[in-house]
Every structure is written in structure tokens, then in C-alpha cells.
Amino acid sequence: MEYRKLGATDLELSVIAHGAFALGGTMWGGNEKQDSINSIHASLDHGVTSIDTAPFYGFGLSEELVGEAIKGKDRSKIQLLTKFGLVWDGSNKGKGEFFFDAADNGKTIPVYKYASRENVIKEIEESLKRLGTDYVDLLQLHWPDATTSISETMEALELLIQQGKIRAAGVSNYSVAQLQQAAQTLKPASDQVPYSMLNRSIEKDLVSYASATHTGIIVYSPMERGLLAGKYFKEGSLKSDDHRNGYFTQFNLDKVKTLLQSIEPIATDKGVTLAQLVLRWTTLQPGISVVLAGARNAAQAIANAEAMSLELTTEELQFINLQLAGLQ
């Protein structure tokens, strides 16, 4: 495993981080508790020391499972990354910005973006309890909240750093303009954003800005929620309550299938899976600090970690990028 400093902080994270969205089960067609815990143990055993979760994932369940999985482990060797700012329990009392209606066990639950000072302070206490720890390594705003000033949110994060409850503060889904505005109060350590072979929009301005300002970039959905692993094209079925049924419709699936068929021989020649090839390509892109990789069981977690052992030549990277150009 390779480890990188996150932006200008003293946080050293594993380049592949364990993405714990699916562990919550909600929107992913459920989950198995022991498989989830085993996946985290497998990640830690194979050098993946960074775990990214959020209160919203499973409405608290993901954080609880992460907390249970790391219980008894050396906390100083684990980096916990969590978030705040998505409220579903009504505690915002109508404040904030309506985001969407989440479905959970047949119920419709309204979710709001809410990043007020009061809510930041409330949520960190809840996360610390669920995670079973007294500090979080990186606390990230989950989504921008148009009803709360950026300065108010940053001031709250600065307070939590001073109190020792978080080591560093980051954001998610922020534009360059929002990062610049935040930096007037507190410079974010990182920005967590979507990035993949199918979505390279951050290369337009965020990558260069982050490099110039020593801001870390943590990317999520590098596999486009499993689509780039190729399995969907071979099996083509998902559970009815799996959100990916709708998510995948944004892509030209014929072109994606052609892309995967063109680069799969590289994976075959090197004795790795298509998913591992895609992950490794992502970690090698300029400006990327950390790549989140989801795992719902130990086998997936081990495969994600082992992707870092793959070596790609300049020629192979150029070939892959040439195929990607065909998606435009």
C-alpha cells in the first residue's frame, strides 16, 4: 500500500481508502452485518488504514459498523473520515435545504442539507458516539447547504479542531469558487468529489487549483458504483431497491461496454481484474490524493487493496487514455 499526505495537513492516508457507503445498506439493496465488519478487518489487514463513512449512510448504521469493526484496534494507526450536513431525523425543524426523499424499508424519508454551526456541533457528538472514538481524523461537509453561509460552517469546524474533536476539516462536492470562499475563514484540507474514467470534470479547474493551494482531493465513485467492474454487463440485474437501477441510466452503456472490452486485455495480461485496473488507473491520475473504494465483504476489500500492486507502463496508460477519448 502507498500512503500520501492529505493536502497541507499532517494526515497520512492510504491511497486506497475503504468507502463505507454500501455498508449502511440503504439504497444498496441491504447488507450483511458480519460481511461488513469482515470487509473492514480485511482492509486493515492489507494496509488500507483510512475508512470513509458518513451519518447518512444507512442512517447511522455505517458509522456504527465501522465503530464495531475497529473496536480494540490501535486507533492511532486508523484514519477515520466521516461527514456531516445531511439531516433525516427532523432535528433541523424545517431549516436547511431540501435535498431528496430517501427510501428505507418502504418508508419515504426527507433528507435536508443543513450545515449550521449548531448542527455541525450536534452531528460530531453523534458520530463520535457511533464510531466509539473521541476524535475524527477528517470531518467533511457532505454537501453544500445554500441556506447556511460558508463562513458559519467553517467557523464551526475551526472550533472542533481547537477542541481536539477533529484533526482536520474538509468539504465534499465543493466547486473552486466555494473552496476559495471557505478559505477566507478556514482553508479546507480536502475536497471529496466524484471522479472516474466516465466523469473527469474536475480536471477542468479543480485539479490545478488543488495543486496550487495544497488542497487534497479525495475521489468517490471511481468504479461508478460497480459499473466499471464489468460485472453488470455480464449479469445485468440488480435488486429492485438498488439505486443503481436509475444511476446507470446517465451513461451510454454501449460505449462503456466497448471501453471495458478494449482495456480488459491489459488486466488479463497482468493477472488482475478489470476493477483493479480501473482503480489503479485512478490512483495514478495527477492531483488525486486518495481514492475511495467500496467493499461489502472481505474478498472485495482485499482485491481493492491489492490493486496498488499493479504496475502500469507509460504506454499502457496512454492506450487507456486513448480509449477514454473515444467516450467524448
Side-chain angles (χ1 to χ4, degrees), residues 102-311:
D104 183 53
N105 293 322
K107 299 179 182 178
T108 298
I109 301 175
V111 179
Y112 288 79
K113 302 175 187 177
Y114 189 43
S116 71
R117 171 191 169 92
E118 177 185 18
N119 191 58
V120 176
I121 294 172
K122 169 183 175 293
E123 284 204 54
I124 187 59
E125 296 301 334
E126 294 170 344
S127 289
L128 292 175
K129 182 177 180 180
R130 285 190 289 255
L131 291 166
T133 186
D134 56 4
Y135 73 95
V136 164
D137 295 275
L138 179 68
L139 182 63
Q140 307 156 96
L141 170 62
H142 207 148
W143 282 90
D145 165 24
T147 69
T148 302
S149 69
I150 289 177
S151 61
E152 178 181 337
T153 304
M154 293 302 117
E155 287 170 1
L157 288 168
E158 187 170 30
L159 175 63
L160 295 181
I161 292 174
Q162 294 170 353
Q163 293 176 339
K165 293 180 179 179
I166 65 174
R167 292 178 63 191
V171 294
S172 298
N173 304 297
Y174 255 34
S175 66
V176 168
Q178 289 168 324
L179 286 170
Q180 291 172 327
Q181 188 174 346
Q184 295 176 18
T185 305
L186 175 69
K187 179 183 175 297
S190 57
D191 192 3
Q192 184 176 139
V193 289
Y195 180 75
S196 73
M197 287 182 170
L198 307 181
N199 178 9
R200 302 171 67 181
S201 61
I202 65 170
E203 295 176 2
K204 296 176 183 177
D205 59 356
L206 180 59
V207 170
S208 58
Y209 173 83
S211 177
T213 58
H214 303 290
T215 302
I217 295 180
I218 301 172
V219 300
Y220 67 86
S221 292
M223 303 301 302
E224 288 299 354
R225 311 192 187 186
L227 182 62
L228 290 173
K231 184 178 178 180
Y232 175 79
F233 295 105
K234 297 174 181 177
E235 298 181 4
S237 62
L238 297 167
K239 291 184 178 180
S240 61
D241 59 346
D242 193 314
H243 75 286
R244 291 174 294 178
N245 285 300
Y247 183 83
F248 289 167
T249 61
Q250 68 184 288
F251 304 110
N252 183 321
L253 296 179
D254 288 336
K255 284 190 174 183
V256 175
K257 184 177 181 179
T258 298
L259 165 68
L260 297 180
Q261 289 174 336
S262 69
I263 66 174
E264 189 165 23
I266 297 176
T268 301
D269 289 345
K270 294 179 178 292
V272 299
T273 66
L274 188 54
Q276 289 173 314
L277 174 62
V278 172
L279 273 182
R280 187 60 173 137
W281 175 90
T282 310
T283 68
L284 293 171
Q285 299 313 295
I288 305 304
S289 306
V290 174
V291 177
L292 303 186
R296 304 181 72 170
N297 55 54
Q300 292 175 353
I302 294 170
N304 290 342
E306 291 181 342
M308 288 300 295
S309 300
L310 172 60
E311 294 185 7

Side-chain angles (χ1 to χ4, degrees), residues 308-328:
M308 288 300 295
S309 300
L310 172 60
E311 294 185 7
L312 292 172
T313 66
T314 300
E315 292 74 21
E316 287 165 339
L317 287 170
Q318 289 175 339
F319 175 80
I320 292 173
N321 289 336
L322 181 62
Q323 307 311 304
L324 293 176
L327 291 174
Q328 305 304 317

